[in-house]
Amino acid sequence: MGAVKTKRMPRAVREQQMLDAAVRTFGQRGYMAASMDEIAELAGVSKPLVYLYLNSKEDLFTACIRREAAALTEAVRAGVDPGLPTDRQLWEGLRAFFTHTARNPDGWSILHLQARTHGEPFAAEVAAMRAEIVAFVTQLIVAAAREAHHDPDLAESEVAGLAEALVGAAESLAAWANATPGVTARQAAATLMNFAWSGLGNLMDGRPWTPPDALTR
Amino acid sequence: MGAVKTKRMPRAVREQQMLDAAVRTFGQRGYMAASMDEIAELAGVSKPLVYLYLNSKEDLFTACIRREAAALTEAVRAGVDPGLPTDRQLWEGLRAFFTHTARNPDGWSILHLQARTHGEPFAAEVAAMRAEIVAFVTQLIVAAAREAHHDPDLAESEVAGLAEALVGAAESLAAWANATPGVTARQAAATLMNFAWSGLGNLMDGRPWTPPDALTR
Amino acid sequence: MGAVKTKRMPRAVREQQMLDAAVRTFGQRGYMAASMDEIAELAGVSKPLVYLYLNSKEDLFTACIRREAAALTEAVRAGVDPGLPTDRQLWEGLRAFFTHTARNPDGWSILHLQARTHGEPFAAEVAAMRAEIVAFVTQLIVAAAREAHHDPDLAESEVAGLAEALVGAAESLAAWANATPGVTARQAAATLMNFAWSGLGNLMDGRPWTPPDALTR
Amino acid sequence: MGAVKTKRMPRAVREQQMLDAAVRTFGQRGYMAASMDEIAELAGVSKPLVYLYLNSKEDLFTACIRREAAALTEAVRAGVDPGLPTDRQLWEGLRAFFTHTARNPDGWSILHLQARTHGEPFAAEVAAMRAEIVAFVTQLIVAAAREAHHDPDLAESEVAGLAEALVGAAESLAAWANATPGVTARQAAATLMNFAWSGLGNLMDGRPWTPPDALTR
DNA sequence: CATGAATGAGGGTTCATTCAT
DNA sequence: AATGAATGAACCCTCATTCAT
């Protein structure tokens, strides 16, 4: 199970191996239950080397959070074309999000569960990333309102709640999709678009939101 | 802060004191960081008594989860009048949910964060409760579809995803409402109803969902 | 070598056993080289019990210092009759000091070497005891000067230096006497009285200080 | 603060840099708390080089002790003119001693505290130096006795004790003088000469020992 | 001459858990 | 019904020391 024990690697490489092992261990065992011993073994190095490079369990976990947060936000950013209409942008972002979380369950566990459960300084780290995503969604909603130029009264606090609800729904669906066999990232994104864009009321009335490439795939 | 040290209490009473202390400690410190020492002290009893009554840390935590899960589902059930139309039922349920979680932050922390973060057997315990709530929501959605008798093809898996999204959004909003000063349970429920029932698309077009008692309060 | 493993002792007794073991271990191995494992084993208990009662290695060492310092100052105080003339008081005090340090080499090692070598907060602890002894000696010197009513100019800073020198000489002689076979506490005290009271110059001229009970013993 | 990192120095120079760093680190942190890492960094070299040149922490510390012991004895020797009368020789020796220890607090800490606190083989190393100084003092006392040709019976063991007391007092005063602002090496030496040569009894009677150059300075 | 990479061994500390009363 | 006394096991972390280049 452990990495092949290759000796004398340059520091940068070893550090990535350690982070890989740490993300996996933290993601599966949880922050507190993960032991530095296990991480070191999985990384194929001795414990002192982990401390030499990453300083402490806390620092190591923080490094994991940062790496995974950066990877996730980057994946979403890369998946979105800012030239598209807002609903299309949201659709693309959700697809990228569900795809990335499905491919990195351990990283997602760290961001979604572990970091939030174990207080400061970890919660702040992940809150920063979350704020970035919420801001992106907020801006999409505001843009949509402007496009529709119908409801100039949409209060800021109201928008904040909506963005929070949307992001929360996405987070929950990610866990659900990961745990439910047969649910693809695409399906999860479609479900959420339907739910978020059209609302249950309209769905009931037979007016779902339609994926833009429904015909081609 | 700890309970007054009264001696020779009947078992049932002592057990509740212990669970109170445990919920508070687990909720604030987290499952792993909470120590049996602290719980026993907060409960005002000696450690062996905790073991005599509740067996182990794991069992104690499981008992906490069960108690809090039962309290939450009961609160929601009690808040809903099954004779009302579906959207009204959902509205009442959400209000009850946000009210209960705001009043029991430690219990909510246990259910929402701690139990899910620390794997089996706790995750299964809380998953059972969640399934109950998802089932309730699912049934609401199905009933709504029947009322609208428009879309008999609404696939079961699709409904499951929608329910999941709705519940996830609610969970996230609960944490957000607890952490954001000035957001009441009522407001959180209204935001979520808007989002879930009308959808962003309709909101943008000026067709929000209207709280049933908007005029009276 | 370790104490007989007696079970279920009252806390006060166990604590003294632990302090005994700790004084011996710290005295012989030194503060840093002593391991809590070794101390626990010598005390005949498990390590967690040592921590339960004494908190930490630092606290344990501090407790040792306090106990040994109290024992030493008490021994000196008990040996001195404040009604006697000053040189007699000094003589009795020195005898008590050398006797006590000879009988408690580990305690003396802790006070004289270990506590001073390992910085704060230990140095302050032993400095307090030393200040007490220096104050006692200073007061003797001042009293002697008053009795001789010859030198009203004896500056305070000068007296401080003399007291320091006397105490330092005593400390050194204690280690020397312990390490040199055949040197008794009595002889060490006599040598120091000679040195301190008469001075080398007078010794050379055949005017030593005479122990008060030279004839009787 | 660390030495400038100059490369490719001859071995002898590098060794002195290492010893400088080691003396400083051992003197300030203590033998056990000092880490080879810190010493190497302060010396501006890599750790393996320290091992290459000085073999082990123990050997490095021993080398420090030897160097500082040699420096101290050499300073005292250089300060004394063997042609002078014995009290003048002692006076000069003490001045040299207090001056040197005041200027080399780290070295003095190593000799006086660290080496003695951490057992063999270090204690033996510093004991050798101490024996040399005690021998010097002993010879002074014997010479003084011969000059006074009064007490040919001054037993050898008695002289040994006196020398020990004198050296011990000097050691204590050195630490005291270093720690007490405003006390110069000269004053410390004068205090000790007074104490040792005239004795408290004569001081009280107004017969102090008079520094030879009291008039000129 | 010099070092980046790496580790075996051990130390302080904490915790869930049990025994004897 | 209740507790004071006690521990096995594990965890985080550090350090002196060595290879391979």
Side-chain angles (χ1 to χ4, degrees), chain C residues 64-190:
Chain C
C64 290
I65 295 174
R66 289 206 177 125
R67 194 180 81 167
E68 295 306 311
L72 175 54
T73 53
E74 177 51 28
V76 171
R77 192 184 342 273
V80 172
D81 176 351
L84 296 179
T86 49
D87 63 336
R88 289 288 305 265
Q89 283 191 49
L90 184 55
W91 163 249
E92 304 287 9
L94 288 174
R95 282 222 306 183
F97 175 78
F98 286 120
T99 302
H100 185 87
T101 53
R103 281 189 187 148
N104 300 278
D106 292 331
W108 178 238
S109 161
I110 285 178
L111 294 175
H112 182 48
L113 284 180
Q114 303 304 330
R116 312 184 100 153
T117 303
H118 292 100
E120 298 315 320
F122 311 128
E125 209 69 45
V126 72
M129 176 207 69
R130 205 173 186 270
E132 210 176 317
I133 295 190
V134 168
F136 171 63
V137 172
T138 301
Q139 158 224 320
L140 279 190
I141 296 177
V142 170
R146 199 167 301 132
E147 285 169 16
H149 54 73
H150 239 302
D151 192 19
D153 297 350
L154 202 61
E156 237 184 72
S157 77
E158 187 68 10
V159 173
L162 292 172
E164 190 71 30
L166 176 50
V167 170
E171 288 169 344
S172 255
L173 275 187
W176 173 76
N178 277 355
T180 310
V183 176
T184 65
R186 205 189 144 73
Q187 287 164 356

Side-chain angles (χ1 to χ4, degrees), chain A residues 13-136:
Chain A
V13 176
R14 273 281 191 254
E15 265 188 32
Q16 285 311 310
Q17 291 178 344
M18 290 176 194
L19 286 179
D20 290 343
V23 166
R24 197 154 135 199
T25 308
F26 283 136
Q28 280 169 10
R29 294 256 193 278
Y31 174 60
M32 303 227 67
S35 88
M36 294 299 272
D37 266 306
E38 188 179 354
I39 293 172
E41 189 178 8
L42 187 58
V45 293
S46 69
K47 226 186 337 177
L49 199 59
V50 179
Y51 279 90
L52 186 60
Y53 286 173
L54 276 316
N55 269 334
S56 69
K57 194 183 189 182
E58 206 174 299
D59 283 7
L60 174 55
F61 190 43
T62 303
C64 289
I65 295 173
R66 290 209 176 122
R67 195 181 79 168
E68 296 306 311
L72 175 53
T73 54
E74 178 51 28
V76 172
R77 189 180 347 269
V80 172
D81 175 351
L84 297 178
T86 49
D87 63 335
R88 291 289 304 265
Q89 282 191 49
L90 183 55
W91 162 249
E92 305 286 7
L94 288 175
R95 285 221 307 181
F97 174 79
F98 288 119
T99 302
H100 184 87
T101 54
R103 280 186 188 151
N104 300 277
D106 293 330
W108 177 238
S109 162
I110 285 179
L111 294 175
H112 181 48
L113 285 181
Q114 303 303 332
R116 313 184 99 155
T117 303
H118 292 100
E120 300 313 320
F122 313 126
E125 210 69 45
V126 72
M129 174 206 71
R130 204 172 187 272
E132 209 176 316
I133 295 190
V134 168
F136 170 63

Side-chain angles (χ1 to χ4, degrees), chain C residues 9-20 53-54 67:
Chain C
M9 318 269 300
R11 172 167 180 157
V13 176
R14 273 281 191 253
E15 263 188 36
Q16 286 310 312
Q17 292 177 346
M18 289 177 194
L19 285 180
D20 290 343
Y53 287 173
L54 276 316
R67 194 180 81 167

Side-chain angles (χ1 to χ4, degrees), chain D residues 12 37 134:
Chain D
D37 264 304
V134 169

Side-chain angles (χ1 to χ4, degrees), chain A residues 29-33 90 112-114 116-118 130 141 144-145 148-151 154 157-158 160-162 164-169 171-173 176 187 190-192 194-207, chain B residues 29-30 32-33 90 112-114 116-118 130 141-142 144-145 148-151 154 157-158 160-162 164-169 171-173 176 187 190-192 194-207:
Chain A
R29 294 256 193 278
Y31 174 60
M32 303 227 67
L90 183 55
H112 181 48
L113 285 181
Q114 303 303 332
R116 313 184 99 155
T117 303
H118 292 100
R130 204 172 187 272
I141 296 177
H149 54 72
H150 240 299
D151 190 21
L154 202 63
S157 76
E158 187 69 9
L162 293 171
E164 191 70 33
L166 175 50
V167 170
E171 288 169 343
S172 256
L173 275 187
W176 172 77
Q187 287 163 355
T191 297
L192 185 47
N194 252 320
F195 178 72
W197 209 258
S198 301
L200 293 176
N202 293 295
L203 283 179
M204 301 306 108
D205 290 345
R207 293 196 296 277
Chain B
R29 296 252 193 280
M32 303 235 62
L90 183 55
H112 182 49
L113 282 182
Q114 302 303 332
R116 315 185 99 152
T117 303
H118 293 101
R130 206 171 184 275
I141 296 177
V142 169
H149 56 73
H150 239 303
D151 191 19
L154 202 61
S157 77
E158 186 69 8
L162 293 172
E164 191 71 32
L166 175 51
V167 170
E171 288 168 344
S172 251
L173 274 186
W176 173 77
Q187 286 165 357
T191 297
L192 186 46
N194 249 320
F195 179 72
W197 209 258
S198 301
L200 292 175
N202 293 297
L203 282 179
M204 301 305 108
D205 289 345
R207 292 195 297 275

Side-chain angles (χ1 to χ4, degrees), chain B residues 25-70:
Chain B
T25 308
F26 284 136
Q28 281 171 9
R29 296 252 193 280
Y31 173 61
M32 303 235 62
S35 83
M36 295 297 275
D37 264 305
E38 188 178 356
I39 292 171
E41 189 180 10
L42 187 60
V45 295
S46 71
K47 239 183 325 177
L49 199 59
V50 179
Y51 278 89
L52 186 61
Y53 285 177
L54 286 135
N55 225 21
S56 71
K57 192 182 189 184
E58 211 175 292
D59 284 4
L60 173 55
F61 190 45
T62 303
C64 290
I65 295 173
R66 289 207 178 123
R67 194 180 82 167
E68 295 306 311

Side-chain angles (χ1 to χ4, degrees), chain D residues 60-124:
Chain D
L60 174 56
F61 189 44
T62 302
C64 289
I65 295 174
R66 289 206 177 124
R67 194 180 81 167
E68 295 305 311
L72 176 53
T73 53
E74 177 50 29
V76 171
R77 192 182 343 270
V80 173
D81 176 350
L84 297 178
T86 49
D87 64 335
R88 289 289 305 267
Q89 282 191 49
L90 183 55
W91 162 249
E92 305 287 7
L94 289 174
R95 285 222 306 183
F97 174 79
F98 286 120
T99 302
H100 184 86
T101 54
R103 282 190 187 146
N104 299 279
D106 292 333
W108 177 237
S109 161
I110 286 178
L111 295 175
H112 182 50
L113 283 182
Q114 303 303 331
R116 315 184 97 152
T117 303
H118 292 100
E120 299 314 320
F122 312 127

